[in-house]
Amino acid sequence: MTYFYAFALGGLLCAIGQLLIDFTKLTPARILVSYVVTGCILGALGWYEPLVDAAGAGATVPLTGFGYLLSTGVKEQVDSSGFIGIFTGGLTAAAGGITAAICFAFLFSLFFKSKPK
């Protein structure tokens, strides 16, 4: 059932994003930012963790999962380091993903050339 829940939640999040693109004047960048902020808010309120427990990667892979990761990192660092954890927690929690994104972007830039539209 975990696979079903992951597919259902991930698909729902993608469908909502597509509906926002199709039926609003929001730009894709604003939709992406709103997904991250929504994940942060739901994570801070403790409402996103049940989704992660039920759907696994269906909840953590989309951008709302990145927002959730930032909020949980901040909570953990505030508990261990105090006030300075507000500034270091999000980056500490997401460092692996950010590093992978930068490394893969660099590797792809070596093999492919960008072209203007």
Side-chain angles (χ1 to χ4, degrees), residues 19-63:
L19 290 172
L20 290 172
I21 289 172
D22 290 343
F23 297 112
T24 67
K25 294 196 182 278
L26 292 172
T27 63
R30 289 184 181 188
I31 294 169
L32 296 175
V33 169
S34 67
Y35 267 42
V36 173
V37 170
T38 301
C40 276
I41 292 169
L42 293 176
L45 294 173
W47 296 349
Y48 203 78
E49 189 162 349
L51 296 175
V52 171
D53 293 339
T60 58
V61 170
L63 283 174

Side-chain angles (χ1 to χ4, degrees), residues 23-111:
F23 297 112
T24 67
K25 294 196 182 278
L26 292 172
T27 63
R30 289 184 181 188
I31 294 169
L32 296 175
V33 169
S34 67
Y35 267 42
V36 173
V37 170
T38 301
C40 276
I41 292 169
L42 293 176
L45 294 173
W47 296 349
Y48 203 78
E49 189 162 349
L51 296 175
V52 171
D53 293 339
T60 58
V61 170
L63 283 174
T64 50
F66 181 68
Y68 167 73
L69 177 68
L70 293 175
S71 68
T72 55
V74 169
K75 280 195 268 187
E76 289 172 6
Q77 285 294 328
V78 166
D79 290 342
S80 65
S81 303
F83 182 76
I84 196 71
I86 295 171
F87 305 106
T88 61
L91 288 176
T92 302
I98 293 170
T99 303
I102 291 171
C103 291
F104 285 122
F106 175 72
L107 288 174
F108 284 123
S109 73
L110 294 176
F111 295 106

Side-chain angles (χ1 to χ4, degrees), residues 1-17 35 48 51 54-60 62 64:
M1 285 304 288
T2 303
Y3 294 125
F4 173 75
Y5 291 138
F7 176 77
L9 183 62
L12 177 67
L13 290 171
C14 292
I16 291 169
Y35 267 42
Y48 203 78
L51 296 175
T60 58
T64 50

